Amino acid sequence: MYALEICGLAKTFKGKKMRTVEALKGLNLCVEPGEVLGFLGPNGAGKSTTIKCLMGLLRPTRGSATIQGRDISSAEARRSVGYLPENPAFYDYLNAEEYLLFVGRAFGMAPELLAQRTEEMLKLLELWEHRKRLIRTYSKGMVQRVGLAQVLLHDPDIYILDEPMSGLDPIGRALVKEIILDLKKRGKCVFFSTHITDDVEKICDRVAVINKGQLLVVDSVQNILQQGTEGYTVTVVAGDGRREEVFVTTDRLQSFIRDAAGESRSIEKIEPRRKDMEAFFLEIVAR
Amino acid sequence: MLNMMRITLKGVFRDRVFQGIMALAVLFLFIPSAASLSMRQVTELSVTLSLSLISFILLLLSVFLGGTSLWRDIERRYTFGVLSLPLSRSSYILGRFLGLALFLVLVSVVLGVAACVAVNVASSLYPADRPVVWSFVALALVYATLKYILLVAVALLLSTVSTSFFLPVFGTICTFLASGISQQVYEYVHSAAAVQTVSPLFRQVVTAVYYLIPNLAGFDLKINAIYSVAPNPRGLALTACYFLAYTAILLAGSIFLFNRREMK
Ligand SMILES: Nc1ncnc2c1ncn2[C@@H]1O[C@H](COP(=O)(O)OP(=O)(O)OP(=O)(O)O)[C@@H](O)[C@H]1O
Ligand SMILES: [Mg+2]
């Protein structure tokens, strides 16, 4: 069973004066349990729309989706999900601790466990000292941290995060990366949208690229990086100890190594030179 | 749902609007002296003033809290966080409604006690001819509270279809005003005198509106409380049934509409 299964999802917004926006045009996507999938796309591509449909906030115009086999139209489907909205806002008359208690109760957590997890999450996201302050007084990044805390609170199997890094300082970003990698290690499924190709490269198993409401590519990060390999930078040490860096294309690599051995030059280092995720992304979207 | 209720109550108590409106309760302090100005019927007057003040405060609370609570959640995008929890839309609406209803009950209990003190002070200064029947005062309070709880349901229903606070707040006020006069207008257009002058279409419109908007006249027991006249038990029971049925219909409508609402 897939953690997330999206079948032919389409969403059309009806604007004023008969104007319509086709935000999603028949999206098909499956996410395995235990997989970290990056949802990459430029502004207005339809990432948030997809996620809002999954969370039952928007009603799809066509198509369907399931979360762990349960149709998204029922509230029960969301029981195993932690969702972080884009630019989140939480009841600002509560403090962080009260909000987490509210979320935990909605998930039916036992009181002792809830108290313990609340403390852990507040400490993990460095909100512990601020837990008694009203969310109204929080900075943007602190609100984002509250959002992450409420996602992790009930330890769900599936994480749906809409731009989890947005609004965070470098320390916060590093922390989020660490958290996602830790979730991956524990076999959780993470589906997150982002614009930052570097994050995808570092933490995702697979990447799905969306533009103008259509899915362009779904592939493993490893494949993409492999395919993007243009050649290798080979460092060779000649007989007299002189070091030299040579660029070798992929098809010539084997013969180069053989020749080097014949000429008694030793090879010190072979580094693939490749297009990174960003180049790949730009190329795909421009296509 | 209980969870949602708790959050609603907490939100109301920390709300500036609530704090501002409750400042009106200070007026209770002046009721005995104001009533004593009349020199006669001081007790009756103090009961009238107290009940009117409570009604007014409850009206403001029900209109503003009922009309803005949903709107604010949507406007400030709290709904993304809340409705993505495993919480159905119906329990969200019911939680909100019950939270506000419970809040109105709490307020009327507190204000009721204040009113009792005020009336007691007034009547000790100028003993009344007819003693105050406290149970009638309490009954008047209970029915006033029910009336405003019903108004909260009206406000919620309007909030579920509206994207601003304008429709729920002013729609609720209009409903309240119209329900106060609908009985008279209805009786007038159906009276013998009006049959000649009023066009049949207008009469039909009035009749339709009369049946559509809530009839709140039955909830008003002020006269009974002021002059210590026992209310008609059958009327009370009917009004209570009316309250339950009408509120249930409003809530069912709200849930139906809110289920269809998209969070953009
Ligand atoms: N409520 C709405 N009414 C009309 N059009 C909308 C609405 N919400 C989104 N859209 C349109 O749908 C498209 C997809 O928007 P969406 O928010 O999903 O983009 P996104 O991929 O999340 O972008 P970003 O990276 O900026 O967050 C956009 O063209 C947007 O203008
Ligand atoms: Mg977005």
Side-chain angles (χ1 to χ4, degrees):
Chain A
M1 189 172 56
Y2 290 111
L4 294 173
E5 189 171 12
I6 304 174
C7 297
L9 200 69
K11 178 71 195 172
T12 307
F13 288 108
K14 286 190 197 66
K16 293 201 174 82
K17 296 180 196 156
M18 304 290 287
R19 239 189 322 193
T20 57
V21 181
E22 264 191 278
L24 288 180
K25 304 165 188 166
L27 203 74
N28 290 302
L29 182 64
C30 295
V31 188
E32 304 275 355
E35 176 176 49
V36 177
L37 188 131
F39 199 35
L40 203 55
N43 290 133
K47 302 182 295 293
S48 300
T49 306
T50 310
I51 289 177
K52 284 179 199 167
C53 284
L54 284 177
M55 297 314 297
L57 296 166
L58 291 175
R59 222 154 359 101
T61 314
R62 269 178 291 115
S64 64
T66 58
I67 299 175
Q68 287 190 329
R70 275 182 292 219
D71 195 87
I72 50 166
S73 55
S74 87
E76 277 311 297
R78 301 194 285 270
R79 192 162 287 282
S80 50
V81 181
Y83 165 59
L84 175 70
E86 164 177 51
N87 305 322
F90 305 108
Y91 286 128
D92 65 2
Y93 55 79
L94 299 178
N95 61 41
E97 191 174 30
E98 287 169 328
Y99 193 79
L100 291 189
L101 292 178
F102 165 67
V103 171
R105 287 196 199 105
F107 280 101
M109 288 172 76
E112 310 85 54
L113 177 67
L114 179 53
Q116 180 206 331
R117 291 284 300 172
T118 302
E119 185 176 340
E120 278 172 24
M121 288 309 114
L122 288 172
K123 283 186 173 154
L124 176 66
L125 289 149
E126 282 152 28
L127 290 167
W128 184 247
E129 299 99 87
H130 312 292
R131 69 186 185 282
K132 297 287 184 201
R133 247 170 62 194
L134 296 189
I135 296 182
R136 187 176 297 153
T137 67
Y138 283 11
S139 72
K140 183 174 190 275
M142 286 163 79
V143 174
Q144 185 80 5
R145 284 164 188 263
V146 176
L148 288 162
Q150 56 100 37
V151 161
L152 298 166
L153 183 68
H154 62 291
D155 194 33
D157 289 331
I158 300 172
Y159 296 80
I160 298 182
L161 315 175
D162 204 343
E163 299 185 22
M165 317 275 186
S166 103
L168 292 179
D169 58 20
I171 307 167
R173 279 163 199 258
L175 178 63
V176 172
K177 264 186 226 178
E178 215 173 279
I179 289 173
I180 295 181
L181 287 173
D182 180 58
L183 291 174
K184 178 154 102 175
K185 225 179 287 164
R186 289 167 46 213
K188 309 281 188 180
C189 167
V190 184
F191 176 71
F192 75 98
S193 80
T194 180
H195 317 114
I196 308 168
T197 50
D198 189 51
D199 295 340
V200 172
E201 203 173 311
K202 298 246 167 66
I203 50 187
C204 292
D205 299 317
R206 278 202 305 162
V207 57
V209 181
I210 183 176
N211 191 21
K212 298 189 181 132
Q214 275 168 322
L215 215 51
L216 301 178
V217 183
V218 186
D219 204 349
S220 78
V221 171
Q222 213 181 351
N223 263 352
I224 290 173
L225 294 180
Q226 208 97 65
Q227 275 168 18
T229 308
E230 294 163 323
Y232 298 85
T233 306
V234 184
T235 312
V236 281
V237 185
D240 56 1
R242 243 174 348 112
R243 227 175 232 99
E244 199 184 0
E245 277 188 8
V246 190
F247 176 72
V248 183
T249 54
T250 311
D251 48 335
R252 276 190 46 232
L253 184 66
Q254 288 303 325
S255 59
F256 182 85
I257 293 173
R258 239 180 290 118
D259 294 351
E263 293 163 18
S264 74
R265 290 191 298 172
S266 63
I267 291 175
E268 195 177 69
K269 200 161 66 173
I270 301 181
E271 271 180 320
R273 188 196 286 181
R274 57 195 176 197
K275 285 187 291 188
D276 59 2
M277 192 56 85
E278 182 164 350
F280 171 78
F281 173 68
L282 291 175
E283 190 184 298
I284 293 236
V285 170
R287 225 189 268 158
Chain B
M1 199 169 74
L2 279 177
N3 200 8
M4 201 63 227
M5 253 175 92
R6 190 172 353 200
I7 288 294
T8 305
L9 274 179
K10 227 176 229 171
V12 173
F13 279 109
R14 293 182 186 176
D15 194 340
R16 296 262 158 69
V17 176
F18 161 69
Q19 291 158 5
I21 292 175
M22 287 316 280
L24 286 175
V26 172
L27 290 175
F28 272 114
L29 291 176
F30 301 107
I31 283 182
S33 46
S36 62
L37 288 180
S38 76
M39 303 304 281
R40 283 186 309 160
Q41 297 194 316
V42 171
T43 308
E44 284 86 342
L45 195 57
S46 62
V47 173
T48 314
L49 288 175
S50 301
L51 288 178
S52 302
L53 182 58
I54 293 178
S55 274
F56 184 60
I57 291 177
L58 289 179
L59 172 67
L60 288 180
L61 287 175
S62 58
V63 166
F64 285 106
L65 298 179
T68 59
S69 72
L70 231 69
W71 163 74
R72 198 166 3 184
D73 273 16
I74 294 171
E75 180 71 16
R76 299 203 181 156
R77 300 181 304 115
Y78 299 147
T79 40
F80 291 128
V82 176
L83 295 178
S84 59
L85 299 173
L87 179 87
S88 67
R89 301 246 175 137
S90 45
S91 45
Y92 171 83
I93 290 281
L94 287 180
R96 273 264 176 260
F97 170 73
L98 292 176
L100 291 174
L102 182 62
F103 168 73
L104 287 187
V105 170
L106 290 177
V107 168
S108 57
V109 167
V110 170
L111 294 183
V113 171
C116 288
V117 173
V119 172
N120 254 326
V121 171
S123 61
S124 67
L125 294 175
Y126 301 89
D129 312 334
R130 302 183 62 171
V132 179
V133 183
W134 292 109
S135 62
F136 294 170
V137 176
L139 217 53
L141 255 180
V142 168
Y143 274 81
T145 311
L146 291 184
K147 175 162 89 175
Y148 293 110
I149 289 176
L150 195 152
L151 218 53
V152 167
V154 172
L156 282 184
L157 177 71
L158 295 175
S159 304
T160 56
V161 290
S162 154
T163 49
S164 74
F165 70 94
F166 194 82
L167 175 68
V169 167
F170 291 96
T172 312
I173 293 176
C174 289
T175 307
F176 177 76
L177 295 178
S179 66
I181 57 165
S182 71
Q183 185 75 37
Q184 288 148 346
V185 175
Y186 175 80
E187 276 162 16
Y188 171 72
V189 297
H190 286 273
S191 69
V195 163
Q196 312 287 322
T197 52
V198 174
S199 78
L201 179 69
F202 181 69
R203 187 158 47 234
Q204 275 164 9
V205 170
V206 167
T207 311
V209 170
Y210 172 75
Y211 283 113
L212 198 64
I213 64 174
N215 189 339
L216 300 179
F219 291 91
D220 196 351
L221 303 178
K222 234 183 260 169
I223 302 297
N224 304 78
I226 295 167
Y227 299 109
S228 304
V229 180
N232 170 8
R234 220 183 89 103
L236 287 183
L238 267 179
T239 307
C241 291
Y242 181 81
F243 164 78
L244 287 178
Y246 206 96
T247 309
I249 291 171
L250 288 173
L251 287 177
S254 307
I255 290 170
F256 176 82
L257 292 170
F258 198 59
N259 265 324
R260 261 146 202 77
R261 177 101 188 223
E262 302 217 302
M263 298 300 135
K264 291 185 175 170

